[in-house]
Amino acid sequence: MSKETEKSNDAAAASATGSHALQFGTAWQYESATEGTDHFEIAERYDLFVDGEFVAPQSGEYFATINPATGEPLCEVASANAADVDRAVAAAKAALPGWKRKSGDERARYLFRIARILQERAREFACLETLDNGKPIAETRDVDVPLAAQHFFYHAGWADKLDLLFPGRVPVPVGVIGQVIPWNFPLLMAAWKIAPALAGGNTVVLKPAETSPLTALRLAEVFQQAGLPAGVVNFVTGDGATGQALVRHPDLDKVAFTGSTEVGKDIQQAVAGRGVDLTLELGGKAAHIVFEDAAIDQAVEGVVRGIFFNQGHVCCAGSRLLVQESVHDLFVRKLARRMERIRVGNPLDKNTDMGAIHSAAQLARIEELVAAGVDEGATLHQSSCELPGQGFWFAPTMFTNVALSHRIAREEIFGPVLSVLTFRTPEEAVEKANNTSYGLSAGIWTDKGARILWLADRLRAGVVWNNTFNRFDAASPFGGFKESGFGREGGRAGMRAYVRLQDGLSAG
Amino acid sequence: MSQSSSPVEFRVPPVDAVALETRAAALGTRSIKRAAKISGLKLAVAMMDLTTLEGQDSPGKVRQLCQKAKRPLPARDEVPSCAAVCVYPDLVPEAVAAVAGSGVAVASVATGFPAGRIDRAFKLREVERAVADGASEIDMVIDRGAFLSGRYGEVYDEICAVKAACGAAHLKVILETGELKTYDNVRRACRIALLAGADFLKTSTGKVSPASTRPVVLLMLEAVRDHYLETGTIVGVKAAGGIRTSKDALRYLVLVNETCGDLWMTPKYFRFGASSLLNDVLMQLEKERTGRYQRPVDFSAD
Amino acid sequence: MTLPVAKTYKHYIGGKFPRSESGRAFQPSGNPDINVTRGSRKDLREAVLAARKGLASWSGATSYLRGQILYRIAEMLESRREAMQAELRLGGATAAEARKELDAAIALTVWYAGLSDKLQTLLGSQNEVQGPFFAFSTVEPTGVIGVVAPDGPALTGLLALVLPVLVGGNAVIAVPSASAPFAGLALGEVCASSDVPGGALNIVAGQRAELAPQLAAHRDVDGLFVAGKPDAELTAAGADNLKRTRFCTLPAKDWRDPKLLRALSWVEPFVEVKALWHPVAP
């Protein structure tokens, strides 16, 4: 599929929108407003964080992490092998008795302190995340970093109130926890995995994603700054092999993983029979349901937020739009127009709405599925935005005339690609929304309260956003039904996943 | 008048308040720097209806205002004139004389501004008189009492009648969104005014708080955008009241720029109704030119 | 003397009492005249289909109604006291043990009956999120859950695993004790006269080693609750559809301890937390 085809398809779609066309972009153009990055430094090389210190890997190996917006390397990061993982788990195990023994309010104080330091160093974290991940600075500044700090603050408050959370039951720490997180929200995922673990009295070995390890390593500096006892949190960087070595380590009491459903299943098999607790937060193919009585312009914004936020690299992205037939044409026209307004480009520019695709591999995956969508006969609409010449980029994309059987309607694309389907009745909307092996999230747009509650009750998804989408909060549990995983993160249910209640039950 | 001549039902899509405000807030985080800031601020000056609507207004005050509108920053030719001055009807002759030949228009509030609680005959008479005196723009207020009691047809009829009385003068319809309270009401009032032939939708009289807000203006921009796409007719939007800083003005311009686009990025289709805003914009322009922060005392009060 | 009418011990699937399609039977009591139908993979397949149907009506009922139906089960156990005790004795219990076990079974059922309409209160929450949103969490059934009961005690062992799953609104396919399936199968008869919707609880008798792996491997079974130590093969087989899998490691002596069995945390593995967000505006 050539670029020309894409653009001509788009032009055809635009000409179908009516004779009175809007024009944008010539009357007043914004200058670039690039966030400065001279207020912090990136070292040439980062070691593993084990037992409170940065230590060279026993593997002796390092790998480069790159800026997806330019393709240029940022620095080198240690590659942990099985021996390194072993050392980190041993450190976490050694730190466990001391950390468990600390009173709840003492643990709380560490977490509060970490939250505060993160807030103080917010700009540095936002910039570093944008450099390493490719997501726009407006998102790291307004979403990732503030939410990460909130997770520490929120869970700090649970550390000394676990007895109130599980009345009549005796919560005890799970033990040593291995955590593996993905590249789409590197700092936020680290925060929302580490904070409840520490609040519950557990110690942690966390593996950041191979392609976005830098904010986690900087978080290690925050832990040092906060005086967190050595070994309570350890970071091992590396690729999939490091992750495999970690989740299979015999001394773990729990594994918490966020990533693909395929790897999640592999982990469940790998730890089977050992009584290892498991929280899996996996893929999704969320339905975003728009009724004809919806607040249409706001629904358009919601759908845009649902699929183009974080370049669509969101497991709960609203990647399937189910729109009522009676408003399909209007809605698609509005959406196509709105897509054109998405500002794609330099992630460090404060006016950028959509940044770089995170990696070459992810870009290839998106391109493959988009090509499949075209092959299978869906109609492609793509923003005519200019894409930068270097780095990894993909324009905001929408498919219409999508059938439920198309790959683009079933497989998680994990990119800025929306598949539009239609429905006629609420029953049909529910049936189509649930017709997937995933069950992470769903969105509903209608002005009718009774219908919202009726639908919300029937949608098999762990998070249901009504007249909004992609909202996150430490106080609200997040996690999936079905093959989107199990266990929750955030809220009461999230805290539950980091304590044991001595109830005679054992995980598989 | 008991029966409306309007055959139209004023149906509008519902508005989700939180999502609307979220979008307005998100656009409010655009960072406007350097050349974009300068061109934006100059455009804001050119879009300004410099306004005085006080009981204490006098011919002298209006002459001062007109002078300021014609040459906001006398030493700097690159700073444009304001679009219009906006005054009470009785001061229209004074204003017309003062701006003669400058290109600055005279806008007059009318229809019993700001409450609009007078007989329709008086309203029309006031409009006719202001037009006859040389006002080329009429800022009418809608009958919020009729609107809030559901007599939409009456509101529509009155706008139609005022539009007819305007003749060649442009009609700005003040919705007084601070009294309509909900976005759904605002959206419906937009619809009524658009169907009745308004040339501009205007947020507020400035006498009710809140006056203009960014979510309300975003909503009005969406309404005129969709009206244009449906009919091909461009209707302008005037954000009036409560806009005091350059930063505010630029945020409004971002709303226009990203919602309606180039066609509206002109004084012909977007206006600010303001008084103290002008000096803040001038201060910012001077700061950009000189690189130094400015002080108010150096800028003429009127 | 009239020839006594011997009871055939059959499955309880979809509210009916079928024999195994395999035509096989086994004689767990040692008495060659007392046959128990022996479940097969295909019987489980039928049970899963029945459970899917049962799930819709069971999870669609109000919590209050589910509570009343569970209480009805307790009433039926009480009214069939003699018969149930006989089934327990057939499984090897002494008369005293049988009486004590039935008492425990009835008490446990009553406890869960009263829990039904309190789950949202106990496990749900209002979530105090930032921004103008009303956010709350509810719990919903996971779906169709396989239960593999301990070898003993024959009735409380089964009920201890089945009740927390049922109370969450799930449909159950239970494999009772292989050595003493009589009371477990009689539970089906109790349910059939307790307004339990057909398919909400299914009981398939047979060999644990044969049936448990089949339950684990079935992609339309959403969870597995198994008495015994963690079993790597079962969990690994279930990972194919990310089954929620829990093992109950209580030693046999604890199976009648009400403190341990009346446990909210036994309900939690088989309910899904759903978080809802709704904007708040005038």
Side-chain angles (χ1 to χ4, degrees), chain A residues 426-444:
Chain A
E427 286 79 4
E428 188 181 5
V430 168
E431 191 193 350
K432 284 185 164 172
N434 286 340
N435 186 204
T436 164
S437 56
Y438 295 116
L440 190 50
S441 66
I444 302 167

Side-chain angles (χ1 to χ4, degrees), chain C residues 17 137 176 185 212 230 268:
Chain C
F17 296 91
S137 307
L185 290 171
E268 286 172 310

Side-chain angles (χ1 to χ4, degrees), chain C residues 60-172:
Chain C
T62 64
S63 304
Y64 177 44
L65 180 58
R66 283 202 297 267
Q68 290 187 80
I69 292 171
L70 293 179
Y71 187 76
R72 172 80 178 166
I73 293 176
E75 288 178 341
M76 288 297 101
L77 285 171
E78 186 73 63
S79 70
R80 292 163 186 237
R81 183 167 269 281
E82 292 308 315
M84 290 307 290
Q85 285 174 200
E87 304 290 9
L88 287 166
R89 285 201 304 279
L90 189 57
T94 66
E97 283 167 349
R99 192 173 56 247
K100 268 177 76 176
E101 182 169 356
L102 192 66
D103 286 345
I106 291 167
L108 190 64
T109 309
V110 170
W111 190 82
Y112 274 102
L115 180 64
S116 177
D117 52 8
K118 290 152 196 81
L119 278 185
Q120 302 296 349
T121 309
L122 293 168
L123 296 176
S125 63
Q126 185 180 340
N127 304 319
E128 294 156 90
V129 300
Q130 305 176 73
F133 295 96
F134 179 60
F136 60 104
S137 307
T138 59
V139 289
E140 296 188 2
T142 296
V144 171
I145 309 297
V147 164
V148 180
D151 212 38
L155 185 58
T156 49
L158 178 66
L159 279 169
L161 299 189
V162 164
L163 288 169
V165 180
L166 275 183
V167 81
N170 298 286
V172 174

